Amino acid sequence: MRDLSGHRKSLGWLYMFVHLLVLLGAGGLAYATWLVALVVAHGHSTPPVTVAENPAVLGMSVFVLVLLAMAIAGLSLGVALIRGRPVSKGLATLLAILALPNFPLGTVLGIYSFWYFGQEGWDADLQEA
């Protein structure tokens, strides 16, 4: 059986880097959502539209929350991989699938995750402990 501890740490750092970028993007989109909400709240439209009734603001808010949840899940998975703690193969697979369209870093993360979690002894060091 191969020693995959080096790959485990590399994959963990890659998860950390990619999902820190996702967190940064979620913050930027949250700021843009706030600006759109300000424009909607102070716009001159008849009949008056509240911020909660505007589908653009609601859609952007939901997307920010999904990105935030994905970033937190990816960061926690990366920390667990780096520290050698048990990880969920299902969560890693879901995050890898969601990362695949994000060329080039997400594609690398997705393919590397599929390769790593497809190896026979990816959790061997955890079973010995």
Side-chain angles (χ1 to χ4, degrees), residues 100-126:
L100 278 173
N102 300 323
F103 184 79
L105 291 176
T107 305
V108 170
L109 175 69
I111 292 171
Y112 195 25
S113 291
F114 289 144
W115 176 83
Y116 177 77
F117 288 106
Q119 298 298 311
E120 186 175 321
W122 73 269
D123 60 347
D125 54 342
L126 298 174

Side-chain angles (χ1 to χ4, degrees), residues 13-74:
W13 284 111
L14 188 59
Y15 265 100
M16 293 288 291
F17 180 69
V18 168
H19 287 91
L20 279 173
L21 290 177
V22 170
L23 190 61
L24 182 67
L29 189 59
Y31 180 70
T33 303
W34 177 70
L35 289 176
V36 169
L38 281 178
V39 169
V40 168
H42 294 97
H44 301 288
S45 63
T46 52
V49 177
T50 63
V51 175
E53 294 174 352
N54 190 324
V57 173
L58 285 176
M60 289 172 71
S61 300
V62 168
F63 191 65
V64 166
L65 291 176
V66 168
L67 283 179
L68 187 63
M70 192 171 92
I72 290 171

Side-chain angles (χ1 to χ4, degrees), residues 77-101:
L77 183 68
V79 168
L81 284 169
I82 292 169
R83 292 185 178 175
R85 301 233 169 100
V87 296
S88 169
K89 184 178 179 181
L91 176 64
T93 303
L94 176 67
L95 289 175
I97 290 170
L98 291 174
L100 278 173

